Structures are given as C-alpha cells and as structure tokens.
Amino acid sequence: MSETSPYHLPSLRRHYEQAAADKTAGEKFYKLMADYNDKDAVVLGYKGAAEAIRARDASMFNKLTYVQAASRTFDQAVALDPHNAEVRFLRFSVESNLPGFLNLSQHVDEDRKLLVQTLLKHPKSGLDAEAFQTVRNFLVSRGHVSDEEAQQLNRVAH
C-alpha cells in the first residue's frame, strides 16, 4: 500500500487506536473499512476490527450482527495469511474481549500461542517495530501471558 492510500498500515493502526477509544472515531473507521473489498490479509484484519468496534457502539439489536460479520472477516483474513501475527493479534484483541456465551472466541488460545512464539523471534518475527511494541504491550499489560512469558517478552529487543 502506498503512503497515500487510506489503507496504509501506519494509518490503519492510528485509526484502530483512536476507534478503540472513541465512538466517533469508531464510526469513521467503520465507514472507511466498509468500502474495502480487496484481499490483503492485514487490511482485512483491520476491517474485522472495525466491524467489532461497530458492534461495541451499536444498539443491542445490532451488536450480534456486527460481531458475526467481524468473525467472518477475521476468518477470511486468517485464511489468506494464516501465520500473519498482525492479523492474529487483531482477531485475538477482539475475541479475548467477547462474552463467552457468544461462542465466538474459539481462536483465543491458538492466537495467543502464535503471538507469543512470534514475538519471541523478534526482530525476525515479521512484525515491524511498531506492531511488535503494540502486540507485546497488549499481551503483557492485559495479563494475557504468564509471568514467565512476560519476562521473556520483556527481554526481547525491539
């Protein structure tokens, strides 16, 4: 993606960060991503994240529709690039926050394991420095890893 593309990764990461914290930014992010119809796995991962954020802000009646759309989009993104840590992180960050009764969090353990293994390989993880920091900070600060894994991850140079 060119730097002028609205789907340029650093730009998508900012949109995602803002959307996660703010409803208006969430609506803007959803509108941007709703128009994306290509087959880039990482961009599709951000589309799934936008759909999940839309679910957060939707009426009770529409929440499940958006969560199910996000789940399908994540499945498509992972099928395109099964080992892409950024895609897996986006799915993990959504699924790990879903209520269990929805039964849409079946990839949490698998994604968490892949993310820890990938981060421990850094700088040969396939993640750029920004994505590495984001994923590591999320896993460690939110308690998604054991104390031992957190210590290992904090020793990895970025």
Side-chain angles (χ1 to χ4, degrees):
M1 294 283 155
S2 76
E3 288 184 31
T4 57
S5 167
Y7 305 117
H8 183 58
L9 274 184
S11 175
L12 286 180
R13 289 173 183 153
R14 299 298 154 273
H15 277 291
Y16 177 57
E17 246 174 62
Q18 292 164 359
D22 177 73
K23 184 175 180 175
T24 304
E27 289 171 16
K28 185 177 171 188
F29 185 46
Y30 176 77
K31 285 181 180 138
L32 168 69
M33 299 313 297
D35 292 336
Y36 185 77
N37 292 311
D38 287 338
K39 300 287 183 228
D40 181 291
V42 178
V43 179
L44 279 172
Y46 280 99
K47 182 175 183 170
E51 291 164 341
I53 288 169
R54 181 75 171 171
R56 174 198 71 193
D57 298 333
S59 68
M60 279 311 274
F61 182 74
N62 291 319
K63 283 186 184 300
L64 187 58
T65 302
Y66 289 114
V67 169
Q68 289 169 330
S71 181
R72 286 190 302 273
T73 302
F74 283 131
D75 288 348
Q76 186 182 9
V78 171
L80 286 167
D81 193 351
H83 302 289
N84 187 296
E86 193 158 0
V87 170
R88 294 296 195 100
F89 167 69
L90 291 165
R91 181 170 72 178
F92 177 83
S93 69
V94 168
E95 285 191 2
S96 65
N97 284 299
L98 292 175
F101 70 84
L102 291 176
N103 204 23
L104 291 169
S105 301
Q106 65 266 37
H107 306 103
V108 169
D109 291 336
E110 164 194 339
D111 288 347
R112 190 193 71 74
K113 285 177 189 151
L114 180 136
L115 291 170
V116 170
Q117 291 167 354
T118 300
L119 291 173
L120 290 173
K121 293 177 192 167
H122 198 74
K124 294 183 171 138
S125 64
L127 291 170
D128 62 29
E130 179 184 34
F132 170 81
Q133 292 267 69
T134 299
V135 174
R136 181 178 67 179
N137 292 347
F138 183 88
L139 291 176
V140 173
S141 70
R142 304 258 178 122
H144 290 298
V145 293
S146 68
D147 289 344
E148 182 184 333
E149 288 169 325
Q151 289 171 4
Q152 290 174 326
L153 292 174
N154 284 327
R155 285 195 294 268
V156 176
H158 48 84

